[in-house]
Amino acid sequence: MDKNSALNNSAEIEHCYSLARARYAALGVDVDNALKELESIPLSIHCWQGDDVIGFDGAQALSGGILATGSYPGRARNGDELRQDAELAFSLIPGKKRFNLHAMYAETGNTKVDRDEIQPEHFARWLAWAKEKNLGIDFNPSFFSHPLAESGFTLASPNDDIRKFWVRHGIACRKISQYFADELKDTVVNNFWAPDGFKDMPADRLGPRLRLQESLDTMFREPMPNDRVIDTVESKLFGIGSEAYVVGSHEFYMGYASKRNMGLCLDMGHFHPTETIADKISSLLLFVPQIAIHLSRGVRWDSDHIVTWTDDFQNVANEVVRIKAWDRIHLLLDYFDASINRIAAWVIGARNVQKALLFALVQPIAQLREYEAKGDYTRRLALTEEAKNLPFAAVWDYYCLTQSVPIGSDWMNKVSNYEDEVLSKRN
Ligand code: RNT
Ligand code: ZN
């Protein structure tokens, strides 16, 4: 394909868009408005796809029941490389972007600083970059890939010292989130996920949950002066090595978040294989103040494949778009694939999120709701299906054009060039 096809074809793209706009208008859909709304929905891009979730604090391997498989060349090895790679990804993804950091991406220079002692100053370079690039920041304590996580238990550990170490880590991360929120004058989603669980059938399911609850209570006891920090807790059904039991299950965190009036994080890959989160959002919003969604794709026992444009994913996009609670719903990517170009992995997933959101925004929802109110479920289904055939691609291409990002798969040319010029020289 012509490397400059986006530029050469802009008149054609605009023409197709005007035809598409008329088709949608006939069904009562204002696509200009849809594009304006899409532009305002932030998507948080996860730092950890860029380096296989390894971080900068000396971890030798990923632990905690998650695994980035593959050995594609060019992994980012430090903050500068990760930022440079992310900038290329940003230039290929339309819409408003945030960046999601994990605590283990602290930059401590030549000094070894353990996780319970990290300070805001260790994120000064990330902050300067966020300011320069006008990015919002989200944050996560890292309860894995550390010697004190090797038993498989952190916040729910039966060992007092281990538990206290991780509680101190959680508190340190709340302070760092506070720092980003203050400095950027913006909200920060600070998401807590701990891997704790058993490979095989527990003899005591309650004890670890009581300990996790107590650790969380200690971490969250002190209110943060800035209400821009949104603490969220993330559940999981099982992980590699925690197949039989995860302490922080869905029921545990759903109960905890609603009792403590705090945020809940739903990861799309953390439920039974046929269970979807689309139908959970409208219920949970009645009982918890904030919902973070980890946009991901479960495949058999893996919860972290690159987001593709599936029906399941579209259903989630439909829900968040229809609920329109953008001050209470936060979209964050969460997957890791080391078997393909890592920048392409970011771009494929993020563009799919934008596509699904746009597709949701241009559905004839007013008409569908009218049919529903009348009890005319036949027309509701007929229109739902016919609407899939509207000229959506013309609207998407136009959006990419107005956002100055490549049209179609042209973005791969930029990634390939970068692979030749930069990634292939890393070893
Ligand atoms: C793991 C959780 C968690 C992590 C990241 C790295 O199963 O989904 O969110 O993927 O925090
Ligand atoms: Zn997750």
Side-chain angles (χ1 to χ4, degrees), residues 32-180:
D32 289 332
N33 260 350
L35 293 183
K36 256 184 231 133
E37 186 167 351
L38 181 60
E39 213 175 34
S40 71
I41 304 171
L43 173 63
S44 195
I45 299 184
H46 54 322
C47 74
W48 53 92
Q49 166 58 49
D51 80 326
D52 311 341
V53 213
I54 291 185
F56 309 148
D57 65 355
Q60 297 304 306
L62 180 54
S63 82
I66 52 179
L67 201 57
T69 52
S71 54
Y72 203 84
R75 183 182 84 78
R77 296 158 302 180
N78 53 53
D80 289 329
E81 290 181 352
L82 193 50
R83 283 183 283 269
Q84 191 191 347
D85 293 358
E87 283 172 28
L88 174 61
F90 293 162
S91 73
L92 307 174
I93 300 166
K96 195 166 165 185
K97 287 158 287 266
R98 304 173 58 81
F99 204 59
N100 195 2
L101 288 173
H102 242 284
M104 61 189 185
Y105 292 79
E107 290 171 281
T108 62
N110 293 327
T111 336
K112 164 96 187 132
V113 181
D114 211 348
R115 300 242 180 114
D116 62 335
E117 284 175 344
I118 48 168
Q119 306 281 334
E121 67 193 62
H122 302 128
F123 290 87
R125 299 196 62 199
W126 286 112
L127 176 73
W129 181 68
K131 283 184 173 167
E132 184 195 320
K133 303 287 165 200
N134 196 20
L135 292 167
I137 291 286
D138 295 305
F139 203 72
N140 305 258
S142 313
F143 298 104
F144 51 88
S145 302
H146 185 280
L148 293 182
E150 290 317 295
S151 67
F153 283 86
T154 62
L155 292 172
S157 169
N159 176 310
D160 284 351
D161 291 337
I162 293 182
R163 230 172 38 250
K164 283 181 183 152
F165 172 87
W166 290 113
V167 166
R168 287 196 301 277
H169 175 59
I171 293 172
C173 290
R174 292 187 73 210
K175 292 185 176 151
I176 293 162
S177 298
Q178 171 85 63
Y179 157 81
F180 278 118

Side-chain angles (χ1 to χ4, degrees), residues 233-235 248-266 271 280 283-284 287-288:
V233 284
E234 178 182 3
S235 67
S249 61
H250 179 53
E251 291 71 17
F252 178 92
Y253 278 126
M254 184 172 68
Y256 191 83
S258 98
K259 189 169 172 188
R260 304 279 179 229
N261 198 37
M262 62 183 293
L264 183 66
C265 174
L266 300 172
F271 295 85
K280 300 182 191 297
S283 295
L284 289 171
F287 306 107
V288 297

Side-chain angles (χ1 to χ4, degrees), residues 48 53 66 102 140 144 191 193 234 236 267 270 294 303-304 334 336:
W48 53 92
V53 213
I66 52 179
H102 242 284
N140 305 258
F144 51 88
N191 181 57
W193 169 72
E234 178 182 3
K236 194 167 182 174
D267 184 307
H270 287 190
H294 270 185
S303 65
D304 299 291
D334 180 18
F336 22 96

Side-chain angles (χ1 to χ4, degrees), residues 286-298:
L286 302 177
F287 306 107
V288 297
Q290 299 282 340
I291 293 183
I293 303 181
H294 270 185
L295 306 168
S296 190
R297 176 169 51 112

